């Protein structure tokens, strides 16, 4: 499929999904829980094969296309954008950590059956132990937190630590005996991401399901994984901010100006105009920084296994810059839309605080202060960021 056609078709499909999701987003946010119907709509859309290479039956889209679809869905529903974005992150993770001969069957079946990948990786949570019980078999046992998209998934990316501290990452069917989900995600934002606890009760993991070659963070190329995750967040935050901006812009079209204003309509009030100008400038800044970061990532992705540590570090700086801007902009716009919409916008029926709650929750995934530190150290000492699972 031609990349330009892939981009156009994927964008249109994402817009159609977003329009459907927007109709129920406020009510579903109140309910929380698993958005089974909406996840099935994503399955039926064909977008789950977007990042799978064409040789395995996927669409082989570039990163600009993938991130654009995440951003569009986030305008309507950041929970669904989150689990959808992580699906593509997990597919990228397998390509970075394993060899083609290993992941080919997973990708082929994902493309054919539109399988949804779920996350039970979270290497900072070391409660899942990995015990070798035979030459080619391990047992995973324990609990894992922050498992976004795990419920209603078809495949799981999972991890456990051996007694000597080695991190093992595997891919297994979600229905594998011994895997269960506590359904305990009840946070103030991202309420339909199913980011709660997964439990592994003596789960058998075969050696050919473990991602051992080259494995996690083993090379500069393999360590692109956390940068892709960061760029997913950038586009989620940008999408949420755009959704809040458009909603506020539509709302003020029919509003009267404040009684002290010299204007009759809100759209003619100079203070409201100033707020919207500020929103616009912030959004444009993030869009440009995000596009620059995507270009850096795509170039590094295309270089492949010969990527150098310096090249990887340059990508990290571009993404950290966009991450800071998207964090600050999304928090500011989702808070300040009420300044232009007025007291009526605070009614519980509209549930407009969900935009702020969602980005406030997700921006805490990793402290933005450390992105400032990375850039500051690079500016002052010319030291590029060192790879970790979160940067």
């Amino acid at each position: 499929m031609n990349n330009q056609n892939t981009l156009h078709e994927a964008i249109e499909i994402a817009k159609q999904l977003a329009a459907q999701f927007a109709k129920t987003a406020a009510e579903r946010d109140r309910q929380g829980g698993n958005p089974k119907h909406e996840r099935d709509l994503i399955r039926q859309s064909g977008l789950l094969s977007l990042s799978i290479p064409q040789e395995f039956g996927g669409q082989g889209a570039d990163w600009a296309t993938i991130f654009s679809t995440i951003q569009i869905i986030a305008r309507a529903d950041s929970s669904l954008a989150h689990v959808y974005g992580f699906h593509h992150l997990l597919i990228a993770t397998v390509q970075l950590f394993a060899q083609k001969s290993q992941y080919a069957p997973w990708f082929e079946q994902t493309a054919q059956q539109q399988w949804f990948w779920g996350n039970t990786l979270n290497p900072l949570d070391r409660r899942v132990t990995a015990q070798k019980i035979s030459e080619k078999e391990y047992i995973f046992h324990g609990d894992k937190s922050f498992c976004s998209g795990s419920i209603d998934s078809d495949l799981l990316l999972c991890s456990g630590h051996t007694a000597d501290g080695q991190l093992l990452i595997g891919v297994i069917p979600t229905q594998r005996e011994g895997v269960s989900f506590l359904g305990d995600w009840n946070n103030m934002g991202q309420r339909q991401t199913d980011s709660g606890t997964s439990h592994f009760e003596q789960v058998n993991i075969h050696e050919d399901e473990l991602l051992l070659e080259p494995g996690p963070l083993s090379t500069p190329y393999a360590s692109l994984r956390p940068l892709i995750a960061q760029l997913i967040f950038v586009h989620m935050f940008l999408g949420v901010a755009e959704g809040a901006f458009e909603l506020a812009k539509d709302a003020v079209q029919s509003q009267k100006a404040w009684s002290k204003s010299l204007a009759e309509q809100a759209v003619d009030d100079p203070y409201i105009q100033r707020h919207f100008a500020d929103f616009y400038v912030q959004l444009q800044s993030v869009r440009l920084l995000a596009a620059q970061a995507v270009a850096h990532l795509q170039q590094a992705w295309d270089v492949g296994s010969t990527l150098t540590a310096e090249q990887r570090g340059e990508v990290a700086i571009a993404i950290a810059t966009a991450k800071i801007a998207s964090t600050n902009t999304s928090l500011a716009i989702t808070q300040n839309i009420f300044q232009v919409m007025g007291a009526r916008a605070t009614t519980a029926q509209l549930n407009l605080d969900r935009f702020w709650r969602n980005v406030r929750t997700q921006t805490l995934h990793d402290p933005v202060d450390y992105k400032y530190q990375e850039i500051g150290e690079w500016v002052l000492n010319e030291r590029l960021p060192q790879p970790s699972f979160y940067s």
Side-chain angles (χ1 to χ4, degrees):
M1 183 181 291
N2 180 279
N3 268 344
Q4 196 60 39
N5 291 337
T6 301
L7 171 61
H8 177 73
E9 292 173 14
I11 295 302
E12 288 306 309
I13 291 170
K15 287 180 178 178
Q16 292 168 15
L17 285 174
Q20 290 179 279
F21 298 159
K23 295 175 183 177
T24 58
E27 180 58 32
R28 285 187 292 102
D29 173 82
R30 274 189 285 266
Q31 294 172 353
N34 179 261
K36 170 64 176 170
H37 175 69
E38 288 71 24
R39 285 174 63 104
D40 283 343
L41 290 178
I42 296 175
R43 285 184 172 96
Q44 295 161 18
S45 74
L47 290 183
L48 294 181
S49 62
L50 198 60
S51 60
I52 294 176
Q54 292 181 359
E55 63 182 299
F56 306 118
Q59 300 173 57
D62 59 12
W63 280 112
T65 303
I66 296 164
F67 289 125
S68 292
T69 59
I70 295 168
Q71 179 181 340
I72 290 168
I73 293 173
R75 293 170 187 165
D77 191 319
S78 61
S79 287
L80 291 167
H82 182 156
V83 296
Y84 167 71
F86 266 39
H87 165 86
H88 293 296
L89 170 64
L90 302 179
I91 288 173
T93 302
V94 171
Q95 292 179 78
L96 293 168
F97 291 179
Q99 297 298 311
K100 185 183 297 186
S101 58
Q102 183 179 18
Y103 60 71
W106 297 327
F107 285 5
E108 288 167 354
Q109 292 177 76
T110 297
Q112 290 169 8
Q113 303 183 47
Q114 291 298 302
W115 279 351
F116 224 128
W117 289 52
N119 176 49
T120 57
L121 176 57
N122 189 7
L124 293 182
D125 187 344
R126 300 171 66 96
R127 290 178 295 165
V128 173
T129 59
Q131 180 184 1
K132 192 169 187 176
I133 59 171
S134 69
E135 185 178 346
K136 294 188 176 182
E137 194 167 17
Y138 288 77
I139 291 289
F140 278 27
H141 182 80
D143 291 333
K144 185 73 72 169
S145 58
F146 291 104
C147 298
S148 301
S150 53
I151 299 176
D152 186 47
S153 64
D154 301 290
L155 288 177
L156 286 178
L157 195 71
C158 58
S159 73
H161 284 83
T162 64
D164 60 1
Q166 181 187 5
L167 172 66
L168 294 178
I169 297 174
V171 176
I172 62 172
T174 303
Q175 298 303 316
R176 176 69 54 84
E177 184 178 358
V179 177
S180 61
F181 309 104
L182 302 190
D184 54 353
W185 180 250
N186 189 27
N187 289 42
M188 72 176 185
Q190 296 298 90
R191 291 182 47 75
Q192 290 204 313
T193 58
D194 290 314
S195 296
T197 306
S198 297
H199 178 66
F200 292 80
E201 183 67 34
Q202 302 293 321
V203 177
N204 287 75
I205 310 289
H206 307 294
E207 190 174 63
D208 62 5
E209 295 173 322
L210 297 175
L211 309 181
L212 301 174
E213 187 183 351
L217 305 183
S218 53
T219 66
Y221 181 61
S223 67
L224 287 177
R225 193 263 182 193
L227 301 185
I228 295 170
Q230 293 290 315
L231 205 42
I232 287 171
F233 296 143
V234 168
H235 286 83
M236 282 174 53
F237 302 159
L238 175 56
V240 174
E242 288 176 332
F245 173 81
E246 291 298 330
L247 189 149
K249 190 170 73 169
D250 290 344
V252 301
Q253 299 296 318
S254 59
Q255 288 181 0
K256 295 289 186 181
W258 179 244
S259 59
K260 290 188 177 182
S261 174
L262 296 178
E264 292 186 8
Q265 299 297 318
V267 291
D268 297 318
D269 184 286
Y271 297 108
I272 289 180
Q273 289 174 344
R274 185 192 182 283
H275 280 296
F276 275 100
D278 187 35
F279 296 161
Y280 175 78
V281 170
Q282 291 183 64
L283 287 173
Q284 281 294 88
S285 300
V286 177
R287 288 169 183 144
L288 291 171
L289 289 171
Q292 176 179 280
V294 172
H296 276 79
L297 174 65
Q298 186 66 59
Q299 186 177 26
W301 184 266
D302 293 341
V303 169
S305 59
T306 61
L307 187 75
T308 67
E310 183 177 5
Q311 289 171 322
R312 191 267 183 198
E314 291 169 353
V315 179
I317 289 296
I319 293 177
T321 305
K323 177 72 178 298
I324 290 173
S326 64
T327 296
N328 293 341
T329 292
S330 62
L331 289 171
I333 290 179
T334 56
Q335 173 183 317
N336 290 324
I337 56 170
F338 296 97
Q339 195 69 24
V340 296
M341 297 173 71
R344 289 183 179 85
T346 64
T347 176
Q349 183 178 0
L350 292 175
N351 195 18
L352 296 184
D353 62 314
R354 71 183 185 276
F355 291 98
W356 179 84
R357 286 187 288 101
N358 286 334
V359 291
R360 180 65 283 179
T361 299
Q362 195 59 42
T363 53
L364 297 175
H365 178 271
D366 55 293
V368 73
D369 288 339
Y370 287 89
K371 291 293 174 282
Y372 280 105
Q373 185 274 327
E374 287 178 359
I375 294 175
E377 183 160 28
W378 172 67
V379 170
L380 294 175
N381 301 319
E382 298 184 351
R383 295 195 192 103
L384 291 167
Q386 295 301 303
S388 74
F389 256 100
Y390 286 98
S391 65

